Amino acid sequence: DQQGDASGGAVNVLLKGIPDGPIFQIKSETSYNSQVRNRNDFLTYSGGGVNTWGHAGSGRGIQYDNIGSNWTGAVGVNRGDAPGSYKYSVAGGDRFEFDNGITIGGYANYFYERDASYDDDGEDNSLWVINPGDPLTPKTIQGEPVIPGGDFKTNLFDITKGSELVQWGSLGTLGIESENHSATATYLFSRTTEDSSTLAEDTRGKEYFFPGYNVNDPMDPGNLSTNIQAAPYLRTETLEYTEREIETFQLSTEHKLPDFMGFVDPVLDITGAHSRADMDQPDKRQFGTLWHPDSFNPGFPPFVPPFTTPATHFPFKPAANFTLGNLQRIFKKIEQDSDQYFSNLKLPFEQWSGDRGYLKFGIFSDEVHRDFDQETFSNFNDFGSFQGEFDQFWSAAFPSEPGHPITASEDDIDYRGKEKVFAWYSMMELPLSSKLKVLGGVRFESTKIDITNFPEADATWLPPGSTTPVDLEPGTGDADVSLDQDDVLPSIALVYTPTEEWTFRASYSQTIARPTFKELSPVLQSEFLGGPVFIGNPELQLASLDNYDLRVDYKHAGGLLSASWFYKDMDDPIENVQRIQPFSYTQPVNYPKGKISGVEFEIRQDLGYFSESLTGFSVGGNVTIIDSSVDIPEDEKLLLARPGIEAAQNTRDATGAPEHLYNLYTTWDQEAWGSQVSLFYTVIGDTLLAGPGTSAGNYVPSVYEVEYGSLNLTVSQRLGDYLGLTFKAKNLTNPTRKSEYRSAYVPGDRTKTKFSSGIDYVISIGGEISF
């Protein structure tokens, strides 16, 4: 009775349409982030920030009147005071019972939140191996190094990022029920607005190729006119304002039917929902520069004497954006709506053993439509420059300089997407005895996914396996998607309960994994200028999985011990791989086969079971050990085994599957005092993000997210009958989140990316009154 892609655990959240009684709740909190609070150098930009309700001002519209001339507004970052962080919510509801047995009621909630984040110690590095057995070195782009210099760039970016967020919304439910029938209407609205500024600077590339480099010495080898183009200082500035809205209206009914044909207490439920999810990104601004310091030029004696060229900023366009200017202003909008309907009929019955079983039947339909529209404007053929030191940002002067006309790009790709899923199922829970029951059934599910692209005149795309962009001609159907697949998905499970303490479970099921619109679309997507690029793959297919699970639980007074084993056999798993030519990007690909297996152990224990002095204390945790592998396709095997690469692999880890997961907790709860303390520690092990790749005879190892742990503390105290005070310390360990290049063929691991999010200290006070 779950969707065909529900191959893991699921949480079914059911909202009450009618509260248990009159209730009023209010809560307010303020928070302090160790990397945000009291900063006067918070990264932002002129005109940046988020207003009270998170709506874009008129200044973020397309400046049609200025096309062909300078556009107004900031194009780069500056510094300012950090914003505050707080949230509050208010909620209430009631119920009314009538003499005829009908009850009506409702519940409403409103919430508001402001938050911010900041990190000035991030990195994003692009590295590769030039010769087999060599260590990793900076990947060179847009040119080739020659001894001693050349004309080329590197991507060794130091990242600073500041973000502000406003989120608000409401939830309302209205219900009516009688003895045998109920109906609930639910409305949810949420608006989230985030404004972020990202500063990325590459100064380490020059130091690598010219050890001991002195930027202030015009006679330094790296500053000579013959070497000035080699690994120059780079700077990109990205200003990204994004609004997201989610809105859902749902109507659900439940009907208790009369007993018939031996079925006891049959239940029919029917649900219909209309939802929309919109994203508006008006006027994302990206500005790139490269910088040459004071440099010595020997001249052309005797006619031209030696001279020094002053420090100057020039336009920089990363390879992924090379067809545009060094300033891009991008307007992107995604509109998605969904109509979902489902109904379930549950027919309980009494088995010969006297235990209850049931038959269950249902249908499901979900139709999703997505419109993706993007308009890009840029300063094409702008060869301007700006004299100044590296810490003098050209972006500060650029808007007021004449001669930077902005016109429309003809490179954009819009698309219309549609996904339709229809399913029906039948299942049964059959008690074979008072201690053994079997659950099983079959689900038929039909999936149709279509994407129609609408490219502009000069649009290009990168077909899977291609090393150069090719034209995407309008109306040809190239890169369009048409997936149509029917699946029959059986499942069966056995549950054996020999005693009240012991439960044994075994199950088998077939599931699928659908590619998303993002994974299928050929649109280039990047978080910031010069940063990681993701491009979808229109050739993706659905993946299928066979799932095997064994579990044993032992429950005793005040505790639980559990152990389980799982195994997933995958056909056509969707894996992320690194593509390097003509620039670096990540792309999803179907691999032939894969498997994921593992074991999990869980313990929960109330310590008061052992000693009255420990009453209120409880501890617990779970440990999951995971082993995964996928078979590498033949074309990738051949590339990795080529002379000059010599990194042959037949299998590798599956992307997104951590090596292990640890969750540990301890709590103390004194109900009489109204006091609670809880401490949670979570560790996520090394996780593959993208598999290896090759470029121009060079090897790029796999990228792994490095293990990290997070510690969270919550302390709460009841204040009288109606109020409560809570203190939270989130992310107390404040780990540096890193990803690394890693391979058995490369000595040592090197950082790909890193960032940290800071420690959050939260104080909240709230009250609840039940009448």
Side-chain angles (χ1 to χ4, degrees), residues 606-623:
D606 180 358
L607 298 183
Y609 172 76
F610 302 106
S611 172
E612 186 176 346
S613 63
L614 296 176
T615 299
F617 286 96
S618 63
V619 295
N622 59 67
V623 176

Side-chain angles (χ1 to χ4, degrees), residues 219-511:
M219 299 295 293
D220 187 284
N223 293 336
L224 299 180
S225 59
T226 52
N227 299 329
I228 196 68
Q229 302 285 352
Y233 280 16
L234 304 177
R235 174 182 289 133
T236 70
E237 301 165 77
T238 302
L239 317 178
E240 186 172 37
Y241 177 94
T242 305
E243 297 177 357
R244 291 182 173 87
E245 283 189 357
I246 297 175
E247 187 176 36
T248 297
F249 178 77
Q250 177 179 295
L251 180 63
S252 60
T253 64
E254 183 175 281
H255 310 276
K256 298 177 182 177
L257 306 179
D259 297 352
F260 68 96
M261 297 177 61
F263 296 111
V264 184
D265 300 329
V267 177
L268 172 69
D269 66 75
I270 304 171
T271 299
H274 175 76
S275 306
R276 69 174 180 90
D278 298 341
M279 188 205 79
D280 188 10
Q281 198 174 76
D283 204 4
K284 177 179 179 178
R285 307 170 197 179
Q286 302 185 142
F287 187 71
T289 62
L290 64 84
W291 179 75
H292 294 165
D294 294 341
S295 59
F296 176 75
N297 192 308
F300 302 97
F303 306 104
V304 179
F307 61 93
T308 298
T309 302
T312 306
H313 297 260
F314 297 95
F316 169 58
K317 298 175 287 184
N321 308 77
F322 199 75
T323 58
L324 305 172
N326 72 309
L327 168 62
Q328 298 120 47
R329 301 182 74 149
I330 304 167
F331 298 78
K332 180 166 66 177
K333 180 174 288 189
I334 300 175
E335 296 178 336
Q336 181 168 301
D337 62 79
S338 165
D339 290 298
Q340 189 176 104
Y341 309 93
F342 56 89
S343 179
N344 304 281
L345 175 62
K346 187 175 183 179
L347 303 173
F349 60 86
E350 288 190 3
Q351 183 56 293
W352 55 78
S353 62
D355 296 292
R356 278 275 184 109
Y358 65 82
L359 291 172
K360 195 173 181 182
F361 307 92
I363 59 173
F364 173 89
S365 175
D366 186 18
E367 187 167 321
V368 178
H369 295 263
R370 170 180 282 207
D371 289 347
F372 177 98
D373 295 287
Q374 180 169 294
E375 296 290 337
T376 300
F377 300 83
S378 188
N379 59 329
F380 299 93
N381 303 314
D382 185 346
F383 301 104
S385 61
F386 173 75
Q387 287 191 7
E389 299 302 320
F390 187 64
D391 58 2
Q392 295 177 273
F393 284 46
W394 187 10
S395 58
F398 191 91
S400 61
E401 292 178 341
H404 300 301
I406 293 183
T407 56
S409 163
E410 293 293 326
D411 295 338
D412 291 314
I413 302 173
D414 300 333
Y415 70 82
R416 305 292 178 265
K418 179 179 179 180
E419 178 181 274
K420 187 172 184 179
V421 177
F422 175 79
W424 61 262
Y425 74 90
S426 60
M427 63 178 291
M428 174 187 285
E429 180 177 310
L430 178 64
L432 300 178
S433 71
S434 60
K435 298 180 179 180
L436 178 65
K437 65 182 178 181
V438 60
L439 298 88
V442 64
R443 183 181 185 90
F444 169 83
E445 193 157 281
S446 171
T447 301
K448 295 183 179 180
I449 304 176
D450 297 289
I451 294 179
T452 302
N453 295 294
F454 301 95
E456 294 181 346
D458 297 332
T460 61
W461 73 299
L462 279 160
S466 175
T467 59
T468 57
V470 300
D471 292 336
L472 183 57
E473 299 292 344
T476 62
D478 292 343
D480 287 355
V481 175
S482 181
L483 288 175
D484 189 347
Q485 180 171 312
D486 296 334
D487 292 282
V488 178
L489 306 171
S491 65
I492 188 168
L494 292 172
V495 180
Y496 178 55
T497 311
T499 66
E500 290 185 0
E501 292 82 11
W502 290 94
T503 302
F504 298 86
R505 295 179 175 88
S507 68
Y508 165 77
S509 65
Q510 289 185 355
T511 57

